[in-house]
Amino acid sequence: MRRMRNTVYVTSEDAWLRKEGANLVVEVEGVERGRAPLHMLDGVVSFARPGGSPALMAACAEAGVAISYLEPNGRFLARVEGPRSGNVLLRRAQYRWADDAGRQVPIVRGIVAAKAANQRTVLLRALRDHGDAMVPEARLAVSAAEARLGHIARRTLAMDTVETLRGLEGEAAATYFAVFDHLIRIGDGAFRFTGRSRRPPLDRVNALLSFLYAMLGHDCRSALEAHGLDPQVGFLHADRPGRAGLALDLMEELRPVLADRLALSLINRGQVRPDDFIMEEAGGVRLTDAARKTILVAWQERKRQELRHPFLGETAPLGLIAHVQAQLLSRHLRGELDGYPGFIWK
């Protein structure tokens, strides 16, 4: 099993990253705020506007440490990485499968079924833990959505085209987010959720989800690259310039498990508060610097939690599940596995 290494998150917007010996050093206004050995790092995610030194970028590229630059609200800007690793034959197989509709279907079916099943588990856990505290109408709505998501997951088995599976994925998302507001137990209205909004997020819940999805996207892309796959060429998500389709594919299974569940916990436990968000004049909402730090600590803690992988039967930290799924996908593309087993959270 791959060892889980660290990701450094640089949240100070005026930070400067540089190399000193074999270490990454973070400075703010000329004062060192932290350092970490490069060989212990899996990636760097920076919200800093100044950036980093060319020497650091070269050292990270040589060590296989990708640097991702994001805006304060979590929107991806750029990524610095070294030469691609992995077997060129695997990438060629990936491209052939992506161009073959018949071969795409089993992979997409596994992704969509796992996503719907994991969304259903989020609702089931909410009903189990807090169903008695919900008003009857909310409890009925969540129960109906849970049943519908289970039905959607089963319907994927009968679908034989990518287009119909994409339709089911959209139906699952609409069903899930239609009741997401009922899972939020803060009653002051500041965390009211009426639907997904992205660029920019228009409320606090969407700002939190978008931020967590950006973190998950970084991890999924790194996992795919580590196993020799091209993150740009997906199966569920069609090719589009500038879009990492396969990273988005992998994210779909893991959003409910890693991001959505964490967002609900942060809100319901009061770890994020209404004043942790900045309401911009243009209508967008973003997190404060202090809130980003709080969320990133919780994100790292969530990734360290262990569970038993349903396909492999092995225990692994949640933070390695993206690597496990990338490995399973690569084995399927090589012909070592008959199908791609999506990750189903239990």
Side-chain angles (χ1 to χ4, degrees):
M1 180 65 71
R2 176 188 171 93
R3 184 165 64 92
M4 186 171 169
R5 296 196 293 177
N6 298 308
T7 300
V8 170
Y9 298 94
V10 182
T11 58
S12 298
E13 293 185 33
D14 54 351
W16 172 254
L17 284 65
R18 64 179 177 84
K19 174 182 176 291
E20 183 176 295
N23 297 303
L24 162 73
V25 177
V26 180
E27 291 182 351
V28 177
E29 297 180 349
V31 178
E32 181 177 323
R33 292 291 184 86
R35 64 172 55 215
L38 288 173
H39 73 274
M40 293 295 293
L41 300 183
D42 191 54
V44 178
V45 179
S46 176
F47 301 89
R49 298 192 186 280
S53 71
L56 174 69
M57 294 181 189
C60 286
E62 184 177 353
V65 179
I67 305 175
S68 295
Y69 291 97
L70 284 74
E71 287 188 344
N73 62 9
R75 190 174 75 86
F76 176 80
L77 290 175
R79 182 179 173 93
V80 178
E81 59 190 2
R84 280 188 178 175
S85 61
N87 190 332
V88 66
L89 299 180
L90 172 61
R91 293 196 296 273
R92 287 175 64 87
Q94 177 187 350
Y95 302 150
R96 287 195 298 270
W97 284 56
D99 288 335
D100 187 328
R103 283 180 161 183
Q104 286 185 53
V105 168
I107 298 174
V108 175
R109 184 183 291 131
I111 294 169
V112 175
K115 177 180 181 177
N118 292 338
Q119 289 173 326
R120 176 175 177 263
T121 299
V122 171
L123 301 188
L124 280 172
R125 293 200 174 197
L127 288 169
R128 180 196 67 189
D129 297 340
H130 310 292
D132 292 342
M134 294 180 183
V135 298
E137 294 82 0
R139 188 167 59 250
L140 286 172
V142 174
S143 296
E146 172 268 313
R148 186 176 177 187
L149 286 168
H151 181 56
I152 291 171
R154 291 188 294 272
R155 284 167 59 197
T156 61
L157 299 175
M159 301 300 160
D160 57 4
T161 67
V162 172
E163 289 71 21
T164 54
L165 286 164
R166 285 173 179 157
L168 283 184
E169 188 272 334
E171 182 182 344
T175 300
Y176 176 69
F177 283 118
V179 298
F180 199 77
D181 188 58
H182 296 318
L183 311 185
I184 298 171
R185 303 195 308 278
I186 303 299
D188 63 1
F191 287 103
R192 182 72 191 278
F193 179 82
T194 58
R196 278 291 284 143
S197 56
R198 297 171 178 81
R199 299 182 183 88
L202 299 177
D203 59 50
R204 293 177 175 87
V205 178
N206 274 293
L208 178 55
L209 288 174
S210 292
F211 184 81
L212 290 171
Y213 290 165
M215 298 302 100
L216 179 59
H218 167 87
D219 289 355
C220 287
R221 180 164 182 161
S222 296
L224 293 167
E225 289 172 340
H227 289 277
L229 293 163
D230 186 343
Q232 300 298 126
V233 181
F235 302 101
L236 172 62
H237 290 83
D239 291 348
R240 183 182 299 173
R243 182 165 78 173
L246 190 60
L248 292 173
D249 287 358
L250 184 55
M251 283 178 64
E252 296 300 346
E253 305 171 35
L254 304 181
R255 287 179 202 258
V257 186
L258 275 161
D260 299 351
R261 180 78 174 180
L262 178 57
L264 290 169
S265 296
L266 288 167
I267 294 170
N268 291 333
R269 293 174 182 172
Q271 291 173 268
V272 294
R273 301 176 303 278
D275 59 3
D276 285 325
F277 298 82
I278 299 171
M279 318 300 285
E280 298 178 328
E281 291 184 5
V285 181
R286 63 183 176 92
L287 290 154
T288 64
D289 289 349
R292 285 201 298 269
K293 293 175 183 176
T294 298
I295 294 163
L296 289 170
V297 169
W299 172 252
Q300 290 295 84
E301 291 175 352
R302 176 67 171 156
K303 287 168 61 176
R304 283 193 289 268
Q305 295 177 10
E306 294 192 339
L307 49 67
R308 190 173 183 82
H309 193 281
F311 180 77
L312 297 179
E314 298 179 7
T315 300
L318 268 172
L320 287 184
I321 297 301
H323 285 273
V324 173
Q325 294 306 116
Q327 184 182 53
L328 292 173
L329 177 58
S330 66
R331 290 178 62 189
H332 175 51
L333 295 175
R334 289 192 184 102
E336 299 170 11
L337 288 177
D338 291 338
Y340 168 68
F343 174 72
I344 297 180
W345 184 38
K346 296 181 179 179

